[in-house]
Amino acid sequence: LDSLLAGRSGVGPITLFDATSDFATRFAAEVSSFDPTQFIPKKKVKELGRFIALSLASSRLAADAAELELTDEESERAGCFIGVGLGGLEKLEEVTLTLATKGPKKVSPYIIPSIIGNLAAGQVSIQHGLRGPSYCHTSACASSAHALGEAYEAIRSGRTDVMVAGGAEATITPVGIGGFSAMFALSRRNDSPTQASRPFDRDRDGFVMGEGAGTLVLESLSRAKKRGANILCEISGWGATSDAYHITKPAPDHRFAANAMRAALRSAELNPEDIGYINAHGTSTPAGDLEESNAIASVFGDHALTKQVWVSSTKSMMGHLLGASGAVEAAVCAHAVQHGHIPPTINLDNQDPACPLDFVAHQARERPTRHAMSNSFGFGGTNCVLVISAFEG
């Protein structure tokens, strides 16, 4: 978080595999020096894909910060939703090579549990004894936003009292980089990787792959108050829609992304002018940034066009975490409403005149912010928007 507020990029040359030869894109935002044994017993690491290990680490940090303790009875009303876009891609690639070179007898018995997406939630549930609902939301880059929205619904409906929810992704692999590059979705600024992710900039040329995990502990207000929890914020509403238009392209009329924002505002019982900060999906793709800017302008009107609502894309610094991005960006919004710190959009050197909003260029800002919005949009036209509000009671 300190790096985000300081405008420091986490992008650099890929080290997780050899990308120096034929790859058009040779950089990404890696979780450098990650040691899973700081959070997980060493003998258990062999069971895990990298995305699961990252999820276990973030969930441990979140649970410790929340001082989460559950009795046996309480554990039955505590669940886990972890959104994942692609799962254990690196393990799938490894086992494919093993089969080709060594045969099926050399395949690890842990390979399937290290690949499948729901094992992030499954392993976190095991780690913390969460015996309520546990499953994986997979909706591309909106996966963890959907996980948080559905976790909110699970508590609001009375089905659970506690939800450990978020997202995880680790796709900095030959297939991940090669596949997105083949779609011309990734930036190719190999000579200046820290400047490659440039949301809403006129010269943007694609997103930067990131990896990581984000976990939030949600609980009912009555339980949180009863145990004297340190309440950071509240999810006050959310909305979800589908473009029903194209497998990868956003709908050109931005209507359904806008509808998701309107639905989130209705759910939170707020007006557009109540929102002080929007953490944009802002991936740095030509079409995506334009359509999101248009959608925000259509929902927020003068509040956006006169630059009263501040908008930024933290993907400019940490890359695009795919299925994990919504949860991590919701956590950024939580900090914004708690402390009034608004992270910048770096590399916004020549703002696209077709995107006329205030994108908090280059430097962080501060002002009291009661309500923030987090946008997440994904392949298949899936849209999910969360409203994060300051806790005042």
Side-chain angles (χ1 to χ4, degrees):
L1 185 59
D2 289 343
S3 292
L4 290 181
L5 293 174
R8 287 194 294 269
S9 174
V11 180
I14 291 172
T15 65
L16 291 171
F17 70 95
D18 183 3
T20 59
S21 55
D22 297 328
F23 286 87
T25 295
R26 299 185 290 277
F27 57 90
E30 298 179 349
V31 181
S32 59
S33 304
F34 174 59
D35 179 6
T37 62
Q38 293 181 347
F39 308 93
I40 305 153
K42 186 175 181 179
K43 64 180 181 179
K44 190 177 178 66
V45 173
K46 63 186 177 183
E47 301 177 14
L48 311 175
R50 184 173 172 87
F51 79 105
I52 300 173
L54 289 165
S55 186
L56 285 167
S58 70
S59 298
R60 170 58 65 193
L61 292 170
D64 289 350
E67 299 181 341
L68 181 64
E69 296 181 1
L70 300 167
T71 65
D72 284 345
E73 183 178 359
E74 289 173 328
S75 72
E76 296 180 12
R77 291 183 55 81
C80 181
F81 294 163
I82 304 293
V84 178
L86 285 169
L89 201 55
E90 91 286 358
K91 292 294 184 181
L92 184 59
E93 294 177 39
E94 287 174 15
V95 75
T96 300
L97 290 173
T98 298
L99 283 166
T101 58
K102 299 179 181 179
K105 291 183 179 180
K106 294 298 183 179
V107 172
S108 166
Y110 298 110
I111 192 62
I112 298 301
S114 71
I115 291 172
I116 55 178
N118 82 294
L119 256 293
Q123 290 279 17
V124 170
S125 293
I126 293 167
Q127 181 186 57
H128 297 284
L130 308 171
R131 297 184 173 88
S134 168
Y135 49 89
C136 171
H137 294 74
T138 296
S139 52
C141 304
S143 296
S144 57
H146 279 115
L148 286 170
E150 294 292 351
Y152 161 83
E153 290 290 354
I155 294 173
R156 195 167 73 110
S157 67
R159 290 185 289 128
T160 63
D161 298 319
V162 178
M163 293 298 298
V164 176
E169 202 78 272
T171 56
I172 303 174
T173 73
V175 168
I177 298 296
F180 280 106
S181 183
M183 299 169 64
F184 295 95
L186 298 181
S187 171
R188 301 189 176 190
R189 294 174 179 266
N190 293 296
D191 56 340
S192 54
T194 61
Q195 299 173 350
S197 182
R198 39 199 324 110
F200 308 105
D201 189 83
R202 183 187 61 200
D203 302 316
R204 63 192 183 276
D205 70 328
F207 75 84
V208 173
M209 183 76 79
E211 64 170 359
T215 306
L216 288 77
V217 176
L218 282 62
E219 59 186 306
S220 66
L221 181 59
S222 59
R223 184 182 190 278
K225 283 186 170 182
K226 183 177 179 180
R227 74 179 184 90
N230 178 25
I231 301 173
L232 304 181
C233 65
E234 61 178 324
I235 296 179
S236 53
W238 75 301
T241 64
S242 176
D243 289 354
Y245 171 72
H246 191 271
I247 57 172
T248 58
K249 297 177 184 178
D253 61 2
H254 62 263
R255 176 157 56 107
F256 301 102
N259 282 353
M261 293 183 225
R262 292 189 179 98
L265 289 170
R266 286 195 302 271
S267 174
E269 299 182 346
L270 296 173
N271 297 313
E273 57 268 24
D274 295 321
I275 301 295
Y277 170 58
I278 299 173
N279 188 291
H281 188 58
T283 58
S284 187
T285 58
D289 288 5
L290 175 61
E291 294 303 331
E292 182 174 16
S293 180
N294 287 338
I296 292 170
S298 70
V299 173
F300 289 88
D302 286 345
H303 188 55
L305 294 173
T306 60
K307 302 184 178 181
Q308 296 176 67
V309 60
W310 293 347
V311 184
S312 72
S313 173
T314 44
K315 291 182 178 73
S316 61
M317 294 167 279
M318 60 185 173
H320 190 356
L321 278 63
L322 305 184
S325 60
V328 172
E329 290 158 11
V332 172
C333 288
H335 186 82
V337 299
Q338 188 182 22
H339 299 288
H341 298 158
I342 308 300
T345 305
I346 67 168
N347 302 322
L348 188 53
D349 300 326
N350 299 290
Q351 184 167 329
D352 187 340
C355 301
L357 311 181
D358 186 340
F359 294 111
V360 193
H362 304 302
Q363 293 185 325
R365 300 178 192 165
E366 293 187 17
R367 75 174 179 192
T369 303
R370 292 182 61 200
H371 307 286
M373 177 175 282
S374 179
N375 289 342
S376 296
F377 310 130
F379 282 178
T382 186
N383 309 305
C384 188
V385 177
L386 301 166
V387 176
I388 310 296
S389 297
F391 177 69
E392 298 178 341

